[in-house]
Amino acid sequence: MHQGKASVLHKECGTGSREPQRGQQHTFLHAHDIKTQQQEAGSEKSGTQRRREAGNIQEDMLRSCGRGTPAWVYVGTLFIFIHLHPFTVRGAALKQEAALDSGATVLNHSMGLVQRMEALLVIGNSSDVTLRVQTINTDEVKVIQAHSLLLTLQSDVFEELLLSRNSSAVVLREAPDCAAVFDKFVRYLYCGDISVRLDQAISLHKLASKYHVWGLQQGLTQYMTQHLSSDSPTGHVVGWYNYALQIGDMALRDNCLQYLSWNLSSVLQSGEWGSISEDLLLSLLQRSDLILQSELELFEALEAWINLNQPLSLTVESALRAVRYGMIPPQHLFRLQKQSALMFKYYESIRDLLYLAFQFHSASPIQLAKYFDVNCSIFTPRNYLSSSWGAPWVINNPTRDDRSFSFQTQLGPSGHDSSKRVTWNTLFSPRWLPLSARSTYTELGTMQPTRTDGGRPRIIVTPATSSPDFAGVSFQKTVIVMAKQQGKVVVRHVYNFHQSTEEAGDFLLDADLQRRASEYLIDSSLYLHIIIKPLYHSLLVARK
């Protein structure tokens, strides 16, 4: 049985294990990239002190060879040497470092040591503990020959288990998903890197949390945050959100929720939409920062979700009342009343909202504000991508010079204003400078050169004209910045600013547009989408 399991581990840990299987997406996490705070604290030692300690360890290792030193001591010394004195160059390369004393040269064989550690796990030589990983509710048992010193160095949980054991075997009971990746997890303890697929992230995170391998846990959290946009057959963001909610990881939960909100249109078209929970559904419906084509698209997706999941009537009513019917044109509301089986069934539950929506579409903002609270959610737009609400803008070579762009939007979402248009002028400047730093003319009429350092990207959005029709309406401007992640175009950032300000003060504040590989650029171009959201407000005191 041990030989059979060793072959399985050889496939996982051997030299061929680093190549992902065809059709599967793997990501390697390295211990060097996910250092714990203890490792960072240890790195504060001076270079001379670290080299002196490394030399002492090497001398002790050489003196111990051939004198009957137990193999586990030698292995443990190698492990400590590797993890306390990591080198920056892989393989047997020679590196000349300016910081070394007297022009010394570092001879680096650290990768060879890691490979020996890997082979030690595969072959099981000098093993002093047997891990019997039993899958819960099955008879399946995975046997791994391990070394107690290596396990205890990486995990205080393993240390307690090994101190309290009565035999050379330790029985570990794991859920099926965790048992399936346990050999990957043990290999990380030996080698410091691990290949991860999207469907393995939660299982490995559970093991890292259970056995207190904090570096791996942090690395997996970072991996999930960076791979929200990756393609998977059934989707993975919803599952990661639910897991983050379960373990109380608020940062991961918020990252998942933001990704779903900012990329909702693509989520609605995916198989992942049908798998979201009732709580997540209701949470999304309450948000005003959803980015999608239209409110009609949201209603139709909600109807599909209800037909698929058949939730309780109370959940259906709560979801339907979260739809912003005032943002759906009246002709589409009429059609839904006639053709939607869901709206027909629950008409009495939302009749008051539909009546209010039709009133909204038939009156001017000023008339509406006299009698209704126009600050409620039914009158508040989300971030709609359809042409009535804004326009996309692709800026090629954005660092070259200033650009301008004009587009039109509807005055307001109500049917009363459907035929009225507002023209908007937009200016983008890659390196905006205050007046004091701009080019000036001398007495001879020659222009002084402009300072190009210290400038930052700037975007200004203003209406081309003013109109009496603007009474009762203010405009929130939203600039969406797209990016390509894992081969997919997603929303990278959202900037909001109101009518009283012409620009977003923090627009692309941390972006380096000079770099061709900037995460804010797609094929050296800046992809923006500008949305104008009319917001209604009261000009007169509502009649009591």
Side-chain angles (χ1 to χ4, degrees):
M1 186 174 186
H2 168 63
Q3 292 178 351
K5 294 303 176 184
S7 65
V8 172
L9 284 173
H10 179 70
K11 292 178 182 177
E12 191 62 43
C13 302
T15 57
S17 67
R18 296 180 183 271
E19 294 295 330
Q21 298 178 10
R22 183 169 299 176
Q24 295 178 330
Q25 182 180 3
H26 291 247
T27 298
F28 276 95
L29 300 182
H30 295 269
H32 180 71
D33 300 326
I34 49 177
K35 292 180 180 177
T36 60
Q37 292 181 354
Q38 291 94 340
Q39 289 172 314
E40 290 176 348
S43 66
E44 296 176 359
K45 297 180 180 180
S46 68
T48 303
Q49 183 179 357
R50 289 168 61 91
R51 288 188 296 276
R52 185 180 299 115
E53 292 176 0
N56 293 339
I57 292 175
Q58 285 177 307
E59 291 174 6
D60 292 340
M61 289 164 55
L62 293 173
R63 285 196 297 267
S64 65
C65 293
R67 296 196 313 198
T69 303
W72 66 269
V73 174
Y74 179 69
V75 170
T77 307
L78 286 178
F79 183 87
I80 296 172
F81 180 77
I82 293 170
H83 284 265
L84 295 186
H85 305 276
F87 295 108
T88 57
V89 179
R90 298 176 180 271
L94 299 179
K95 180 180 180 182
Q96 198 78 25
E97 293 186 347
L100 293 178
D101 297 334
S102 304
T105 299
V106 173
L107 187 61
N108 186 352
H109 297 102
S110 59
M111 278 305 299
L113 294 178
V114 172
Q115 291 170 1
R116 292 189 185 96
M117 301 290 289
E118 192 171 30
L120 190 69
L121 174 63
V122 174
I123 301 172
N125 284 350
S126 304
S127 168
D128 62 344
V129 60
T130 301
L131 301 180
R132 297 180 61 83
V133 185
Q134 182 177 349
T135 304
I136 296 176
N137 297 327
T138 71
D139 296 330
E140 183 180 350
V141 177
K142 181 180 294 185
V143 178
I144 301 175
Q145 300 297 328
H147 305 81
S148 57
L149 181 60
L150 299 180
L151 299 179
T152 56
L153 283 173
Q154 291 278 49
S155 165
D156 59 346
V157 174
F158 271 123
E159 183 178 13
E160 294 180 6
L161 289 173
L162 294 173
L163 287 175
S164 60
R165 62 178 169 150
N166 297 322
S167 65
S168 62
V170 176
V171 178
L172 305 172
R173 294 172 54 82
E174 302 293 345
D177 62 319
C178 292
V181 296
F182 202 88
D183 44 6
K184 276 180 173 283
F185 173 67
V186 173
R187 182 192 177 279
Y188 174 84
L189 302 182
Y190 277 71
C191 305
D193 64 18
I194 189 169
S195 64
V196 184
R197 294 202 313 264
L198 297 173
D199 59 341
Q200 297 172 335
I202 290 179
S203 304
L204 289 168
H205 194 280
K206 289 179 182 178
L207 291 174
S209 303
K210 177 179 179 179
Y211 293 99
H212 294 181
V213 185
W214 304 124
L216 178 59
Q217 183 201 60
Q218 294 168 10
L220 288 165
T221 299
Q222 184 179 9
Y223 165 84
M224 288 189 276
T225 300
Q226 295 174 346
H227 286 75
L228 294 172
S229 59
S230 296
D231 285 324
S232 56
T234 59
H236 54 279
V237 181
V238 171
W240 289 355
Y241 170 85
N242 293 332
Y243 176 67
L245 201 62
Q246 175 188 341
I247 65 175
D249 189 333
M250 297 300 100
L252 178 59
R253 179 206 64 180
D254 292 343
N255 284 328
C256 292
L257 190 57
Q258 178 178 280
Y259 176 83
L260 293 171
S261 301
W262 286 2
N263 300 276
L264 189 60
S265 253
S266 60
V267 174
L268 296 180
Q269 307 302 322
S270 71
E272 195 167 18
W273 171 248
S275 67
I276 70 173
S277 64
E278 295 179 6
D279 290 340
L280 177 55
L281 174 73
L282 296 176
S283 178
L284 287 171
L285 291 175
Q286 299 299 324
R287 297 175 67 107
S288 294
D289 65 340
L290 301 183
I291 298 178
L292 68 166
Q293 289 297 319
S294 65
E295 194 74 14
L296 178 62
E297 179 188 34
L298 182 60
F299 178 87
E300 292 173 343
L302 174 61
E303 185 169 22
W305 183 91
I306 292 172
N307 291 335
L308 178 65
N309 291 275
Q310 296 296 316
L312 297 175
S313 295
L314 184 61
T315 301
V316 176
E317 292 176 3
S318 298
L320 287 175
R321 293 192 65 82
V323 175
R324 302 181 180 182
Y325 297 101
M327 300 299 108
I328 301 178
Q331 63 270 25
H332 293 300
L333 287 177
F334 284 127
R335 179 178 61 81
L336 290 176
Q337 283 185 299
K338 291 294 183 180
Q339 299 179 3
S340 171
L342 179 67
M343 183 174 286
F344 179 80
K345 181 178 180 180
Y346 288 91
Y347 180 78
E348 291 301 321
S349 300
I350 58 173
R351 180 170 60 174
D352 60 321
L353 297 179
L354 293 174
Y355 179 68
L356 188 58
F358 283 120
Q359 288 181 307
F360 168 74
H361 285 299
S362 61
S364 68
I366 293 180
Q367 290 298 318
L368 195 71
K370 291 181 181 179
Y371 305 100
F372 297 101
D373 177 15
V374 292
N375 293 318
C376 62
S377 62
I378 192 174
F379 302 128
T380 304
R382 309 185 205 263
N383 293 319
Y384 304 121
L385 299 175
S386 62
S387 58
S388 298
W389 298 86
W393 187 16
V394 179
I395 304 176
N396 299 319
N397 299 319
T399 60
R400 191 181 63 195
D401 49 26
D402 292 357
R403 316 291 174 86
S404 60
F405 174 64
S406 297
F407 62 97
Q408 286 190 332
T409 64
Q410 58 190 5
L411 173 62
S414 73
H416 182 274
D417 295 329
S418 61
S419 61
K420 301 174 182 177
R421 292 288 181 268
V422 180
T423 300
W424 298 89
N425 294 329
T426 305
L427 172 68
F428 170 79
S429 178
R431 289 177 298 277
W432 176 82
L433 293 169
L435 289 174
S436 59
R438 296 184 185 180
S439 302
T440 57
Y441 286 87
T442 65
E443 294 180 357
L444 298 177
T446 59
M447 188 174 67
Q448 296 293 331
T450 301
R451 284 189 3 228
T452 58
D453 58 323
R456 61 173 178 81
R458 185 190 192 194
I459 190 167
I460 300 174
V461 182
T462 56
T465 59
S466 182
S467 170
D469 292 330
F470 289 5
V473 180
S474 61
F475 299 96
Q476 178 177 309
K477 307 154 190 177
T478 298
V479 178
I480 298 173
V481 181
M482 313 299 288
K484 183 174 288 187
Q485 296 177 358
Q486 312 299 324
K488 180 190 296 184
V489 177
V490 297
V491 175
R492 177 67 174 81
H493 213 298
V494 177
Y495 299 92
N496 296 305
F497 50 109
H498 293 270
Q499 183 174 8
S500 57
T501 56
E502 296 181 346
E503 62 177 313
D506 59 344
F507 180 67
L508 297 179
L509 191 61
D510 300 322
D512 183 5
L513 301 182
Q514 298 286 348
R515 289 193 305 111
R516 294 179 61 88
S518 171
E519 61 272 22
Y520 288 87
L521 300 179
I522 301 177
D523 299 330
S524 301
S525 298
L526 186 62
Y527 279 66
L528 306 178
H529 196 110
I530 304 173
I531 298 174
I532 307 297
K533 297 196 289 187
L535 301 176
Y536 294 86
H537 54 86
S538 300
L539 296 180
L540 304 174
V541 177
R543 188 173 62 182
K544 297 182 179 178

